[in-house]
Amino acid sequence: MNQQAVIFGDRAERSWRALDARALRPDSAVADAQADGARDASVSESEIALRLDARLASALEALIFDAGDPTQVGRTLSSLVEQGLDVLPKPAHGQTLARWRALSRVAQRDLGLVKLYEGHTDALAILDELGSDIPTKSRWGVFAAEAPDFQSRATFDDPLSQAPGAPVTLHGAKAWCSGAQSLTHALITCRDNERGHRLVALSLDQPGVRISTSNWHAVGMAATASADITFDHARGWVVGEPDAYLSRYGFWHGGAGIAACWYGGALKLAKAVVAAVRRTPDAHRAAHLGAIDVALRGAAAGLRDAADWVDAHPEEDAMHVALRTRLLVEQAATSVIEHAGRSLGAGPLCRDADIARCMADLPVFLRQSHAERDLAMLGELHARERNDDAQWCL
């Protein structure tokens, strides 16, 4: 029984690693890998992705920072940006799974870090999709929460010029601005004078922007230092047409990518259980590992399937795919949290800073899901299809 548990742990870990075994597709910031490909036309994009994944893995392994310190987490994001490791494959361009593998890999290193990293890389994808310029070496956040007491409004400098890129002045406030103190720029959802929904880009380093973390009392995800931002004559520019943020195809592509971050956090806990089974084989501990294996294999299959669908249908509404994927991974991660805790016991939760932080962070991160509301929405979408056989057939 003991030997079988060890063998099972080895096989399970190799399987879970399949999702994050390859990542990153080339872009301007990774010129060294591009140059290799240019010199050798036989090098495929998947091979380039492997090389870039190795760079990301090496950089993450070399990182030394206090994951509980928001300032150090912000500096770590800056380091990844400086190395060009924030330039991921564009979603829905044939390498979506490689993008999600990169997010999963960073999440395994630290969930607070990936929260900022995912927001930054999502902002780059949005700016690219909507045709807006990106300042060099900038660090971005996407602040789109619409809290009742935190509303913002953009006023155009010229009411007759409201095209993308038009300058605006921003007033109001935004809540839930993760890592704002560590970022250089942000994308903000707001209203214009005609009460239309607009997306505005702006520098956070200007007199009209005030950032406060006084309302942030979280224990899990504490290092993200989610802030309230107040805008008083802040200057920015419009990105995209009215309602572009929500209506673009990439909205749900990015929403599904969050699940890859959750997966990475769950995978980190799973590996701790594998290590425990190897050290001290035990039937009960092995049973918990078996439950974790079931959860992670299902989640990984769902992420791969979703990535394939997004790449095959880049200009179709991916809402149902994103909801299903998020809910599937949320369910799997919740199962991993439960089984990892029961398998590992109190020791690592109290004496291993890395595992303790992950066990505190992941449940909070998962609440980015809307739980039963998302389940109800998915059920309603499914009911409208009236084609159960096509959706559920093997």
Side-chain angles (χ1 to χ4, degrees):
M1 175 65 215
N2 290 356
Q3 183 179 9
Q4 289 175 336
V6 173
I7 293 172
F8 174 75
D10 291 340
R11 290 176 177 172
E13 186 176 15
R14 286 198 299 270
S15 174
W16 304 332
R17 283 176 175 168
L19 184 67
D20 61 306
R22 306 169 183 83
L24 296 177
R25 178 187 170 188
D27 213 307
S28 58
V30 286
D32 54 346
Q34 276 190 317
D36 289 345
R39 285 192 295 268
D40 184 358
S42 66
V43 176
S44 67
E45 288 209 348
S46 63
E47 291 172 315
I48 294 174
L50 282 171
R51 297 177 187 180
L52 295 173
D53 181 52
R55 289 188 61 219
L56 182 62
S58 177
L60 290 170
E61 186 175 358
L63 289 175
I64 300 175
F65 68 103
D66 180 357
D69 182 346
T71 300
Q72 292 196 37
V73 172
R75 289 173 181 166
T76 303
L77 172 67
S78 180
S79 173
L80 295 177
V81 172
E82 289 293 327
Q83 295 176 70
L85 295 173
D86 60 328
V87 185
L88 305 186
K90 299 174 185 178
H93 281 67
Q95 292 284 338
T96 299
L97 186 58
R99 179 184 183 88
W100 293 354
R101 282 171 176 154
L103 295 176
S104 173
R105 184 178 287 283
V106 177
Q108 289 177 66
R109 183 61 176 85
D110 181 65
L111 288 174
L113 175 61
V114 82
K115 176 65 175 175
L116 273 59
Y117 181 83
E118 186 280 330
H120 168 71
T121 54
D122 187 40
L124 298 187
I126 293 169
L127 290 164
D128 178 79
E129 183 179 7
L130 298 181
S132 185
D133 294 334
I134 304 172
T136 304
K137 301 300 180 184
S138 50
R139 301 182 302 279
W140 290 76
V142 181
F143 305 144
E146 297 290 340
D149 296 332
F150 293 84
Q151 299 293 318
S152 51
R153 183 174 300 280
T155 303
F156 287 91
D157 289 11
D158 181 355
L160 300 179
S161 177
Q162 300 187 11
V168 295
T169 299
L170 201 63
H171 292 85
K174 271 288 180 185
W176 302 103
C177 303
S178 295
Q181 293 178 322
S182 299
L183 306 176
T184 62
H185 293 75
L187 290 174
I188 306 289
T189 55
C190 60
R191 303 281 183 117
D192 61 23
N193 288 337
E194 299 176 358
R195 301 191 64 79
H197 292 274
R198 303 304 296 249
L199 187 64
V200 169
L202 78 163
S203 167
L204 296 175
D205 183 17
Q206 58 173 301
V209 175
R210 190 175 81 243
I211 301 172
S212 171
T213 57
S214 61
N215 290 325
W216 186 244
H217 306 296
V219 176
M221 301 299 284
T224 62
S226 187
D228 301 333
I229 303 181
T230 303
F231 307 106
D232 184 9
H233 292 87
R235 302 290 294 159
W237 67 95
V238 170
V239 176
E241 300 290 345
D243 301 315
Y245 175 70
L246 292 175
S247 63
R248 63 193 173 86
Y249 296 114
F251 177 80
W252 289 108
H253 303 158
I258 294 289
C261 300
W262 300 341
Y263 182 90
L267 185 56
K268 180 173 189 168
L269 297 177
K271 289 180 178 179
V273 176
V274 170
V277 169
R278 289 172 177 166
R279 285 194 308 270
T280 313
D282 170 85
H284 292 161
R285 183 170 281 169
H288 287 299
L289 179 56
I292 288 171
D293 179 57
V294 170
L296 286 183
R297 283 177 182 263
L303 283 162
R304 295 188 193 102
D305 184 61
D308 288 345
W309 191 96
V310 166
D311 284 336
H313 307 85
E315 295 187 355
E316 291 188 26
D317 185 358
M319 181 181 183
H320 63 296
V321 174
L323 286 173
R324 185 183 302 117
T325 304
R326 287 165 62 101
L327 290 162
L328 176 63
V329 177
E330 178 193 2
Q331 186 179 72
T334 300
S335 176
V336 171
I337 291 170
E338 178 183 1
H339 286 286
R342 295 175 71 86
S343 173
L344 296 172
L349 276 64
C350 300
R351 302 177 67 87
D352 184 320
D354 216 23
I355 295 301
R357 183 177 298 106
C358 188
M359 286 289 277
D361 286 349
L362 187 54
V364 176
F365 202 170
L366 288 173
R367 294 287 39 88
Q368 197 164 337
S369 162
H370 300 120
E372 282 72 22
R373 287 186 177 88
D374 284 354
L375 283 167
M377 191 176 298
L378 179 61
E380 291 169 2
L381 290 172
H382 182 91
R384 294 174 196 163
E385 291 295 326
R386 300 182 183 280
N387 193 3
D388 299 341
D389 290 341
Q391 295 187 63
W392 290 340
C393 67
L394 292 176

